[in-house]
Every structure is written in C-alpha cells, then in structure tokens.
Amino acid sequence: MLRATTAVLHERRSPRPRWSSVVRITTLGTSHGDHTYCRFNSSSLIEVGGRSYLVDAGEPVNGLMIRAGKTFSALRAVFITHMHEDHVGGLPDLIKALVKYPRETHCVDVFLPDPAGIAPLEGWLRAMNIRRPPDAVALRAVTGPGAVFDDGVMAVRAVPNRHMAGGRLPSYSYIIEAAGRRIAATGDLSADFSDFPAPVREAPCDLCLCEITHYPPEAAVPILATCPIRRMVFNHVHNPWHGPEGEARLIHAFASLPFPVEIAHDGDVFEID
Ligand SMILES: [Zn+2]
Ligand SMILES: [Zn+2]
C-alpha cells in the first residue's frame, strides 16, 4: 500500500512542464493557530506552468499534499510568512518527503522569514535522522523587504507586516506574480489591520489570500473598500467563522465591498485564468 502510494506521488522522472496561463491555488490548510474539527493549519499550494510553490507549511502539509494528489516532484519553493508553529510546523515532515524521494532536476528552496530559524531547523532534522542533501532542499532566509525569488515562472516579493511582536520580529506578506497575474498572500496581520500590504492597496490584485483571525471585520472594511482587488479569499479562519452560520456572518460583514469575497476550506481550489 505504502509502496504503491509513494511510487505515484514521488515519481523520479518529472513530467515535462505543461505551460498554461492558469494559476491554480489549493488552500490545503485553512485554520488559525490550532487545528479545528474542519480545518488544519495554514498551507496553500500555488500551481502554474507545471510547477508548484507553497506559501506556509503548517502541519500536516505533507499529508494534505498527498491527500490532494499533488506530486512533490513539481514543488520548487516554500515561502514561510512567519515563525509561528501553525505556519512552519509541518516543514520537517515535508522536508523528509523531499529528501526521501529526491528530484533529479532541481533543488527545492525553502525560505524562512527569520535567519535565526535555519540552524535550529537543521539541528531538529539531524536529531530525527533526516539527512538533507544540499542539492535536494536548500534552507534560505528572507532578509528583508523586496525580491525573494524568481525562477522565470513565479516571482515573489516580501512586504513586512507587524504580526510578530508588533514588528520587532520578522513577518511578511508575499506579493506573487505569475502568468501575468498578481496574487497577494497576507500571512498573519496585526490586530488593527493597518499593516495590510501596501502593494495591494496601490495596484490591481487578481486574488488576495487574506487571513481572518487577528482583526475584526469592521477594522478591515474601510481599508479594503479602497483596494483594487478583483477577488478576495479568506483563509486562516478563526473559530467564530466556522460552520455555515459563522461563514454567513463573515460574508455579511464584508458585503459592502465592491469585489467578491469567499471563504477558503481545506482542499478548496481557486483558479485564475
Ligand atoms: Zn497563524
Ligand atoms: Zn501567527
């Protein structure tokens, strides 16, 4: 059973990239800091041009990738928004899968928002006897605002927010450009929503993946109302917004916005074409 599953999911010979203008986002895990009865911790998979990229790697990202039928061989990079366990806790399991079934053609770049996290992660991997060949997975640091990554398919820019200790510890929103589309992944924000990323306020955004746990909707509505957003998807969903009644209350709270608002669930797929 295990052998058959891993053979399918970790095929050594990557399929030839199939270029497509469609950007597909799968919200693998959509909960807040804790798992809930219907949601696991944060992780979102972005697929474009035959490649895939993760924003955040909350537990159990590895299992959710497998359950969603996603091949690890397509994964090119992982971008962690901040060093809270619900966003980074699934990395050891994910890295184990990536080194156990290495790709022959490329290395997976894992970007941590705090350089201080790299050595402890390496130590924890060694303690669990996970050997990490540097040509399979590279641990890298986001060292400040600006360009983080560009592989010719997807470009990622970091915008600092104040979620961690009021901005004293590094925490980022990511602005993502791929296939002529612009996507924002806010990561966790501050309690007054004042650090909602400026690039989303200033230029059109095809899809904004925004957390909805750390601020009240009434703080966000006046700011969002002025943003040129085409589609808003809430993830990192707090307990009050769980279930049909909670979701209805949340949608009602944002009903005045001039763009569509959706609530992500674990395993939902959002396509931009
Ligand atoms: Zn969080
Ligand atoms: Zn957090």
Side-chain angles (χ1 to χ4, degrees):
M1 177 78 176
L2 180 63
R3 179 180 292 272
T5 304
T6 52
V8 170
L9 293 169
H10 304 284
E11 45 196 355
R12 279 176 166 259
R13 187 170 301 168
S14 302
R16 183 180 292 275
R18 188 171 55 82
W19 286 90
S20 162
S21 62
V22 174
V23 181
R24 181 179 297 112
I25 301 171
T26 304
T27 51
L28 295 167
T30 60
S31 187
H32 50 76
D34 302 322
H35 301 302
T36 72
Y37 73 97
C38 59
R39 298 174 186 275
F40 290 147
N41 284 161
S42 285
S43 59
S44 298
L45 187 75
I46 301 173
E47 296 170 279
V48 58
R51 301 182 178 186
S52 67
Y53 311 82
L54 277 167
V55 176
D56 281 328
E59 219 184 357
V61 60
N62 186 24
L64 293 173
M65 287 270 289
I66 292 169
R67 182 168 285 176
K70 302 302 180 185
T71 59
F72 290 86
S73 58
L75 190 65
R76 297 300 174 121
V78 181
F79 306 95
I80 304 296
T81 58
H82 64 290
M83 296 297 284
H84 274 155
E85 183 274 341
D86 57 312
H87 297 255
V88 75
L91 260 189
D93 196 25
L94 179 68
I95 290 173
K96 182 202 74 176
L98 292 171
V99 301
K100 192 171 182 181
Y101 307 100
R103 285 131 312 286
E104 292 171 344
T105 55
H106 69 275
C107 179
V108 180
D109 291 320
V110 176
F111 290 92
L112 298 184
D114 189 341
I118 291 179
L121 176 58
E122 286 179 326
W124 185 226
L125 292 171
R126 278 197 303 275
M128 292 189 288
N129 292 292
I130 298 171
R131 192 179 62 83
R132 180 180 61 83
D135 59 350
V137 178
L139 301 181
R140 307 188 186 281
V142 178
T143 53
V148 172
F149 176 87
D150 187 348
D151 66 350
V153 174
M154 195 168 103
V156 178
R157 194 154 49 105
V159 180
N161 59 49
R162 291 189 297 281
H163 174 65
M164 295 281 280
R168 294 188 299 280
L169 293 173
S171 178
Y172 295 101
S173 304
Y174 290 120
I175 305 299
I176 296 157
E177 310 218 10
R181 302 288 183 257
R182 198 154 169 269
I183 299 158
T186 67
D188 290 3
L189 299 170
S190 63
D192 62 3
F193 203 69
S194 61
D195 54 350
F196 184 72
V200 187
R201 306 181 190 214
E202 295 161 357
C205 178
D206 292 288
L207 190 146
C208 179
L209 196 58
C210 184
E211 71 111 339
I212 182 70
T213 285
H214 294 100
Y215 56 87
E218 53 268 31
V221 166
I223 293 171
L224 292 175
T226 66
C227 295
I229 294 171
R230 297 199 170 110
R231 190 178 183 186
M232 188 83 176
V233 177
F234 285 119
N235 69 348
H236 202 269
V237 181
H238 200 16
N239 285 340
W241 318 123
H242 281 42
E245 290 182 9
E247 291 190 17
R249 281 197 304 274
L250 183 61
I251 294 294
H252 179 73
F254 288 96
S256 64
L257 293 177
F259 45 77
V261 172
E262 299 161 82
I263 302 171
H265 310 86
D266 290 15
D268 278 356
V269 177
F270 301 87
E271 290 192 341
I272 314 169
D273 53 18

